[in-house]
Amino acid sequence: MSRQISLHHHGAEQQPLICVDEFLPHPQVLRDFAAERPFEPMGPHYPGLRYPLPAEGVMPMLRGLEQHIADAFELTRAPRFREAFFSLVTTAPKDLTLIQRLPHFDGLEPERLAVLVFLSPSHSDGTAFYRHRATRLESVDQTSFAAFEAQLSADLALHGEPPPGYIYGNTAIYEQTAMYEGLYNRALIYRGNALHCAHLPPNFVADPDPTTGRLTLNLFLD
């Protein structure tokens, strides 16, 4: 089945997002490969385990999408590989740290792109995007970071920390601007400095098995 490519825009900032269904011709091959890899914790932000992937293993997946990416994100050059991982959510909602209970951004550079590929047939969650209520920001860059950080600290002092659990819809501090369902073999391509978070249901059960858990491929470009 051939790829189905669509361009979306969301929020007041009209942030672009490319959705590619049937992204991989044989996604099960990638799932089988992931099942045999030694996943490990990597850093304090991701609520689970990861396994790094080399550029030569993932960049060919973008063939045929180069012009779509250049047009959607107004690029003046081809994006370069930064890093890539298999990612597996393994943290129970009650065990999340504060940073894992808030929308996040991958970097402050508007040219940094994220490619998220959903690889779990049994999961139908997704990725959601947010607006910070107090600043009205939907993305954060070098010029807005200091003000955003200061206001977020003030918000947390006023409203308190969010309760245990993955963010799911509107909160006192954030409002959801869009949600894209995590269908099997779907890829989402978006700016990494957009405020976003996994959209996991309140009854989400963390699963450390790559064959049954929430497995994704995360590719980051500059």
Side-chain angles (χ1 to χ4, degrees), residues 5 21 52 91 98 118 121 134 147 151 164 175 202:
I5 305 168
D21 288 317
T91 303
L98 173 60
F118 296 96
Q151 184 59 56
E175 55 185 316

Side-chain angles (χ1 to χ4, degrees), residues 95-116:
D95 296 327
L96 295 172
T97 63
L98 173 60
I99 194 67
Q100 294 168 342
R101 288 178 272 148
L102 298 169
H104 66 276
F105 48 88
D106 303 322
L108 298 175
E109 308 89 345
E111 64 271 18
R112 183 180 295 194
L113 304 180
V115 183
L116 172 62

Side-chain angles (χ1 to χ4, degrees), residues 59 77-83 111 113 219-222:
M59 290 301 284
R77 60 166 175 78
R80 295 185 289 256
F81 174 85
R82 182 181 180 88
E83 56 186 353
E111 64 271 18
L113 304 180
L219 167 60
F220 299 97
L221 306 170
D222 280 327

Side-chain angles (χ1 to χ4, degrees), residues 22-214:
E22 303 301 330
F23 178 68
L24 298 168
H26 305 290
Q28 186 60 45
V29 172
L30 208 59
R31 284 172 47 79
D32 292 342
F33 179 76
E36 299 175 353
R37 306 278 75 80
F39 283 69
E40 297 179 348
M42 289 188 183
H45 299 113
Y46 186 74
L49 307 175
R50 283 182 153 166
Y51 178 81
L53 295 165
E56 58 269 23
V58 293
M59 290 301 284
M61 298 178 187
L62 299 179
R63 287 176 187 154
L65 297 172
E66 296 91 344
Q67 195 60 52
H68 293 278
I69 294 172
D71 292 345
F73 300 102
E74 301 177 343
L75 303 182
T76 57
R77 60 166 175 78
R80 295 185 289 256
F81 174 85
R82 182 181 180 88
E83 56 186 353
F85 309 93
F86 283 129
S87 300
L88 186 63
V89 176
T90 59
T91 303
K94 66 181 180 63
D95 296 327
L96 295 172
T97 63
L98 173 60
I99 194 67
Q100 294 168 342
R101 288 178 272 148
L102 298 169
H104 66 276
F105 48 88
D106 303 322
L108 298 175
E109 308 89 345
E111 64 271 18
R112 183 180 295 194
L113 304 180
V115 183
L116 172 62
V117 186
F118 296 96
L119 292 173
S120 297
S122 60
H123 287 258
S124 58
D125 39 74
T127 293
F129 293 82
Y130 290 88
R131 177 185 300 119
H132 181 229
R133 292 183 186 273
T135 62
R136 310 305 292 169
L137 290 171
E138 297 169 7
S139 61
V140 182
D141 59 20
Q142 291 284 359
T143 62
S144 61
F145 173 71
F148 168 79
E149 188 176 43
Q151 184 59 56
L152 180 57
S153 294
D155 291 341
L156 291 170
L158 175 63
H159 298 288
E161 294 186 3
Y166 291 93
I167 184 170
Y168 192 77
N170 296 331
T171 72
I173 300 175
Y174 290 95
E175 55 185 316
Q176 184 177 296
T177 60
M179 196 283 285
Y180 298 90
E181 190 176 359
L183 299 180
Y184 179 52
N185 201 20
R186 166 177 282 181
L188 303 178
I189 307 172
Y190 52 90
R191 287 196 177 109
N193 73 336
L195 289 164
H196 63 280
C197 198
H199 186 76
L200 302 176
N203 62 350
F204 173 77
V205 177
D207 183 350
D209 185 344
T211 66
T212 54
R214 186 189 191 264

